[in-house]
Amino acid sequence: MERTTNIISISKIEEIPTLETIKSIPRERTLKLVFENEIKSKRKTIGENLKKELNGFLVAVHTFEPEINIAKLITDEEIEDNKLFFEQCAKDYRDLAEELIFKLADKLGIIINQDYPMMTFNELKSDKKQMGKIENWKYFVHGFHCGFENNKTAQIIEAPLVFGLEFGDLDPYFFTRYIKSTPKYNPLPIAIFEDYADGIRINEKMLSLGKFERISSNVGNHYGIVVTDRQKVEIKSFEEISKIHEQQNIKFEESKFNFWKFIGLKK
């Protein structure tokens, strides 16, 4: 489903649509406010006020252009009406991510570190196997994930690597892109327009409904979201993994793998 955009030129405050008017805009339509003349200087202040008042909307103040773009996000009611669909998507995501990760490990002849898979897959970078192909899939190890894209269907999925052998973490952006790219889900029962912002709302509502739950990760101060109805696996904390490495006479923060260095940050 494609969106249409209403463009309104604003030369004075009075020309800004009322909150009631903006709230009445359906999700299939976006609003672009283009600021002219001396009112351009007030664009950022107006945008910040709109963000405070428009709960459930994405309000984007353009960095360079004199415009504000407004879009209504997926609603709680829409998510609740489709909770079984999103729950099944989450289960399918988990199954496929796990399947692809183990197929990749098998093809490359590597043994996944069950406590901390990231340590195993980081080794691919030094071996120039960070990207490649497996069956009909392209793969690419990056950040905390290994991304896969199907050459035939264009389906995409990101398998997380920092939750032990739990590969069902639902990053809001990756989860919605997976849903939209999966052929068997199309046409979708409910439109998803804003991959990240709609994804956040889906996750938060599904958490409140008890369909999703939060989990800790192998990385300090980092958590994930997974479907509640699943066979749970143990996820060791950063402290537990560090202790294991100490017992093996390996100083974790200086071991061959350092995830902060891997993603370009110093720690």
Side-chain angles (χ1 to χ4, degrees):
M1 183 181 296
E2 296 294 330
R3 269 178 159 175
T4 58
T5 301
N6 287 2
I7 302 176
I8 301 177
S9 296
I10 308 294
S11 58
K12 53 186 178 181
I13 294 290
E14 293 75 17
E15 293 176 344
I16 298 175
T18 64
L19 292 176
E20 290 72 21
T21 298
I22 295 175
K23 290 178 180 179
S24 68
I25 297 174
R27 287 210 297 127
E28 294 75 21
R29 220 164 54 231
T30 63
L31 180 63
K32 177 182 289 189
L33 306 180
V34 180
F35 292 81
E36 301 177 345
N37 306 324
E38 64 277 359
I39 200 173
K40 289 180 181 180
S41 61
K42 300 179 180 180
R43 172 175 54 91
K44 291 184 178 180
T45 300
I46 293 170
E48 291 304 314
N49 288 332
L50 288 175
K51 288 180 182 180
K52 294 177 183 177
E53 298 292 336
L54 293 172
N55 183 39
F57 283 75
L58 178 64
V59 179
V61 181
H62 201 286
T63 305
F64 303 108
E65 299 297 329
E67 63 186 50
I68 296 175
N69 292 278
I70 304 172
K72 187 175 184 179
L73 299 173
I74 191 169
T75 67
D76 286 346
E77 293 74 20
E78 289 173 321
I79 299 168
E80 186 161 6
D81 288 344
N82 292 277
K83 62 179 182 291
L84 296 181
F85 169 71
F86 289 122
E87 182 181 36
Q88 188 59 53
C89 290
K91 291 180 179 180
D92 294 345
Y93 187 107
R94 185 174 189 259
D95 289 344
L96 181 58
E98 180 177 305
E99 175 188 345
L100 291 174
I101 279 293
F102 280 101
K103 278 187 175 181
L104 178 58
D106 183 61
K107 177 187 176 181
L108 299 178
I110 57 179
I111 299 176
I112 298 175
N113 184 313
Q114 296 187 16
D115 295 326
Y116 199 19
M118 188 67 176
M119 179 170 289
T120 301
F121 285 90
N122 184 65
E123 296 296 323
L124 301 182
K125 187 175 181 181
S126 60
D127 291 340
K128 297 182 180 180
K129 294 179 181 178
Q130 183 178 6
M131 62 181 69
K133 294 181 180 180
I134 173 174
E135 297 181 355
N136 293 324
W137 298 85
K138 294 182 293 185
Y139 75 86
F140 176 52
V141 179
H142 65 99
F144 290 162
H145 295 80
C146 181
F148 296 90
E149 180 176 356
N150 192 288
N151 294 320
K152 293 185 176 181
T153 67
Q155 183 184 28
I156 50 180
I157 188 168
E158 296 278 345
L161 303 173
V162 291
F163 296 92
L165 294 183
E166 172 58 70
F167 299 106
D169 171 45
L170 304 171
D171 173 276
Y173 178 69
F174 294 152
F175 184 39
T176 54
R177 290 180 74 225
Y178 160 78
I179 293 173
K180 292 167 68 174
S181 68
T182 300
K184 73 175 182 179
Y185 300 150
N186 285 286
L188 299 181
I190 185 69
I192 299 174
F193 294 111
E194 303 293 337
D195 292 347
Y196 181 68
D198 280 343
I200 288 178
R201 289 185 64 83
I202 291 169
N203 279 356
E204 290 299 326
K205 184 59 179 178
M206 293 293 282
L207 283 167
S208 73
L209 294 171
K211 295 295 186 180
F212 291 175
E213 64 181 15
R214 286 188 169 87
I215 57 172
S216 59
S217 81
N218 302 142
V219 179
N221 299 317
H222 180 63
Y223 69 88
I225 294 175
V226 294
V227 67
T228 303
D229 182 16
R230 71 189 190 284
Q231 184 175 350
K232 299 183 180 182
V233 299
E234 180 186 7
I235 302 174
K236 286 185 169 59
S237 67
F238 179 82
E239 290 74 21
E240 289 175 313
I241 293 175
S242 297
K243 186 174 295 185
I244 291 173
H245 280 253
E246 288 175 2
Q247 292 172 350
Q248 296 174 346
N249 296 320
I250 301 174
K251 194 174 182 182
F252 186 50
E253 64 269 22
E254 293 179 0
S255 63
K256 194 171 183 180
F257 170 63
N258 183 310
F259 65 84
W260 296 109
K261 182 178 180 181
F262 181 76
I263 63 173
L265 298 176
K266 294 181 179 180
K267 185 69 174 178

